[in-house]
Amino acid sequence: MTDSTPDLAIPAEIARRKARLDRLYVKTPEIDQALELMHELRTGGFRGPDGSANCLLVAGPTNSGKTRLFRSYCDRPDAQRDGDLIPVVRFTVPTPFRDRDFLAALLLALGTRDFAESHRIGRMKRRVVDMLAARGTRLIMMEETQHIIDKKGGNSPYWAADMIKEMILDDAKVPVAFNGIRVTEEIFHRNTQLLSRRKGILRIEPDDWADPTGRERFKAAVNVFERAAAFPGKASVGEAGLGLDSDPVAERIHRATGGLRGGLYNLFVQATELGVKREAACLGISLLAEAHAILADAGPGWTNVFTAKVLPPLEPQDDSRVTKLHKKWRAA
C-alpha cells in the first residue's frame, strides 16, 4: 500500500486477512474424536425400548473453542439444511433464561415463527415437538447453556432442565449436545433425571505450557495463525532471528491468551488489523504488544507480557487435572 492507495483498500485488506483467520480450525486428534462422539450421539444416542434420547455436554472456559467445535460439526454435508429438512439445529440459549424466550429461540432455529406473543407455553412446547419431527431433526446443539443457571431470569434450573428432558429427549426423541462454561455442569446436579440421560462430558482445556505436548501444540497453532495472517515476511523478533513460534516469544503469546485458541484468534485479528493499517512487513512483538494492550482488561498492576523484561514464574500445575480432551470423556 502507498499514499496513493484508495482508503477503501485498507478495510478490504483487513477483511480479506480476517476471513483467512476466521476459516482456521487447528484440529487435534482429541478434537477429531470429539466430533466423532457428537456424531455417535446423533446416530445412536437413544435409550432402550422407548427410544428416548441422551445428551452430552461440552464444557470449558470462554474462548476455549466450544462454539468452533459445534460449527465444525455443522459444516458436515449431512448436517446442512436441505429444503424443509434441518437435520442439525444449533441455537444459543437466551439470557436471562425464561421458558418462553427459550422456546421462541428454538422455534426460530427450526425455521418457523416464534409464536412468543400469540401462544401459551404448552402450545409452544407442542409446536417445538411437531416442528422437530417435520424438519427431520436428529441433533440439537445448544450454545451458552450456562444461561439456564443464571438466576436473574427467575427460572429454576431444575424445571428448565426438566423441560428439556421431557420435551426434547422424551417426547421429540432428539439427542442434545450442550455447551457452556464449567458451571453448566450444575444442571445435571440440580436435575438427576437429566443426569441419567447424560452420555458424557467433554471438557476442553487450554494448552498447558508446562506440558511438552501442550507447548508444542500451542507453538504449532501460533505458526498456523501467523501464516493465515498473511504478512509479507515471517516474523523475526530476536537477535538470533527468533520467530513467533520460538519458545521465548510463544510463551509470551501463551501468557497473553491463556493458551486458549479463541484468545489466540482475538490477538492475531487485532494485531493483523494494526499491521495492515501500518503496512507492516511482518507480525512482530510491537504489534502483538499493542494488540495485547487493546484487548486486555488493563487494571492497576497489569503488565504487558510482550514488553516485560522477565516473565514471572509459572504457577505450579495441578498434575491431577487431566488436560487431554479424550480423557475427559466419561460415561455417566
Side-chain angles (χ1 to χ4, degrees):
M1 298 179 203
T2 66
D3 292 340
S4 62
T5 303
D7 290 344
L8 289 177
I10 293 176
E13 179 64 10
I14 291 173
R16 183 185 75 82
R17 296 205 201 175
K18 182 178 181 297
R20 287 173 58 92
L21 291 165
D22 287 343
R23 289 193 294 269
L24 275 186
Y25 189 40
V26 185
K27 288 188 178 181
T28 65
E30 293 80 23
I31 291 295
D32 288 334
Q33 185 182 29
L35 293 169
E36 291 176 8
L37 290 169
M38 282 193 286
H39 192 63
E40 288 177 12
L41 179 75
R42 172 184 170 185
T43 57
F46 304 97
R47 289 159 49 99
D50 66 350
S52 58
N54 289 319
C55 61
L56 66 83
L57 170 65
V58 177
T62 301
N63 283 331
S64 60
K66 302 180 298 295
T67 291
R68 192 65 185 84
L69 182 66
F70 275 20
R71 282 172 48 198
S72 181
Y73 186 85
C74 289
D75 287 340
R76 291 173 57 106
D78 62 356
Q80 304 296 308
R81 180 168 183 166
D82 184 8
D84 290 335
L85 298 178
I86 309 179
V88 178
V89 169
R90 182 168 69 96
F91 75 104
T92 299
V93 175
T95 182
F97 183 91
R98 298 184 180 92
D99 290 352
R100 186 178 296 277
D101 296 337
F102 172 81
L103 294 167
L106 181 47
L107 285 168
L108 287 173
L110 285 163
T112 186
R113 288 174 52 199
D114 60 27
F115 296 101
E117 301 301 324
S118 57
H119 283 181
R120 293 180 181 273
I121 292 294
R123 191 174 179 189
M124 292 178 74
K125 290 180 180 179
R126 291 193 295 273
R127 179 71 175 169
V128 166
V129 174
D130 291 343
M131 287 304 301
L132 286 169
R135 298 302 193 207
T137 301
R138 296 293 178 265
L139 179 65
I140 295 175
M141 310 184 95
M142 294 189 193
E143 305 246 29
E144 307 290 351
T145 315
Q146 72 272 6
H147 294 162
I148 292 175
I149 307 296
D150 185 359
K151 296 180 180 179
K152 289 184 293 185
N155 199 311
S156 163
Y158 174 86
W159 294 112
D162 206 52
M163 178 180 67
I164 293 170
K165 181 190 76 69
E166 292 184 357
M167 179 182 65
I168 300 176
L169 302 182
D170 290 349
D171 293 346
K173 295 178 171 53
V174 177
V176 175
F178 304 104
N179 81 23
I181 58 176
R182 294 183 182 109
V183 72
T184 308
E185 295 184 33
E186 285 189 24
I187 64 172
F188 299 110
H189 303 305
R190 305 281 184 93
N191 188 307
T192 55
Q193 291 294 315
L194 189 64
L195 176 62
S196 70
R197 304 302 180 84
R198 190 185 73 191
K199 190 174 182 181
I201 297 178
L202 290 167
R203 294 185 180 92
I204 302 181
E205 303 289 352
D207 290 318
D208 182 359
W209 187 261
D211 173 62
T213 299
R215 181 165 61 249
E216 291 307 311
R217 184 173 291 175
F218 185 79
K219 288 163 57 179
V222 167
N223 201 5
V224 171
F225 272 84
E226 184 185 1
R227 290 201 304 271
F231 281 85
K234 186 172 176 63
S236 178
V237 296
E239 294 181 1
L242 299 174
L244 296 186
D245 56 352
S246 67
D247 275 10
V249 184
E251 183 177 3
R252 292 175 185 267
I253 297 174
H254 185 277
R255 297 291 187 93
T257 62
L260 297 162
R261 298 302 170 82
L264 195 60
Y265 165 84
N266 292 336
L267 181 69
F268 270 75
V269 167
Q270 184 64 63
T272 299
E273 180 177 341
L274 293 170
V276 171
K277 290 177 179 178
R278 294 168 190 175
E279 303 181 23
C282 66
L283 182 54
I285 286 289
S286 61
L287 289 176
L288 291 171
E290 187 170 351
H292 181 39
I294 292 171
L295 294 171
D297 183 12
W302 178 79
T303 300
N304 192 315
V305 297
F306 293 105
T307 58
K309 291 185 177 180
V310 179
L311 290 175
L314 282 169
E315 294 182 2
Q317 190 73 26
D318 181 2
D319 294 334
S320 67
R321 181 170 66 86
V322 184
T323 57
K324 299 292 191 297
L325 188 63
H326 67 280
K327 291 184 180 178
K328 284 296 185 180
W329 176 263
R330 296 172 181 171

